[in-house]
Amino acid sequence: MDVLGIILAVLCGAVALLLVVDIVRDRNNTNPPFFGMIAIEAGLVVQLVWGLARLTGDHDGVEVGAYVGYLLGAPLLIPVGWLWGASEKNRAGTAVVLVAVLVVPVLLLRLHHLWNVHG
């Protein structure tokens, strides 16, 4: 993975840990994970712009549709998870946010694999 992907994966791990603490303590959507998710979202937007810019160059062998789908889907995951989690006023809501945060590194890894078919 590239440096941005690694930073985002580490940030997702830290936010996931905070969310697990919230689940164990039965707290609902506290501020530290929220601010972490804002940072993740900003990084995903940068990843989106950078990924689309990469497609303007040589990209033989890259499944463009799948690549763009992952690029567009990743930034949508965090807000959708947050809204869904905010609608649940119990541990399940925080768990939904946790799942959304844990899926982001998987999507980034898949983006990396899709692009490396090219190289």
Side-chain angles (χ1 to χ4, degrees), residues 40-62:
I40 293 168
E41 187 65 24
L44 289 173
V45 170
V46 170
Q47 178 77 32
L48 170 66
V49 172
W50 185 47
L52 291 175
R54 288 172 82 179
L55 286 175
T56 60
D58 179 30
H59 59 274
D60 292 335
V62 175

Side-chain angles (χ1 to χ4, degrees), residues 2-118:
D2 58 348
V3 174
L4 179 60
I6 292 170
I7 291 170
L8 286 172
V10 169
L11 187 56
C12 286
V15 170
L17 185 63
L18 291 171
L19 288 167
V20 168
V21 169
D22 283 351
I23 290 170
V24 169
R25 292 186 176 176
D26 199 17
R27 292 187 298 191
N28 198 24
N29 298 331
T30 59
N31 282 339
F34 176 73
F35 294 131
M37 288 188 299
I38 289 173
I40 293 168
E41 187 65 24
L44 289 173
V45 170
V46 170
Q47 178 77 32
L48 170 66
V49 172
W50 185 47
L52 291 175
R54 288 172 82 179
L55 286 175
T56 60
D58 179 30
H59 59 274
D60 292 335
V62 175
E63 295 178 40
V64 175
Y67 187 75
V68 170
Y70 280 104
L71 280 174
L72 294 174
L76 296 176
L77 189 62
I78 296 293
V80 169
W82 179 261
L83 290 174
W84 185 359
S87 69
E88 296 283 333
K89 299 298 180 195
N90 53 28
R91 287 182 184 179
T94 307
V96 167
V97 178
L98 175 63
V99 169
V101 168
L102 290 175
V103 169
V104 169
V106 176
L107 295 177
L108 293 173
L109 188 60
R110 182 67 180 133
L111 274 169
H112 174 72
H113 287 150
L114 284 170
W115 188 260
N116 279 344
V117 167
H118 165 64

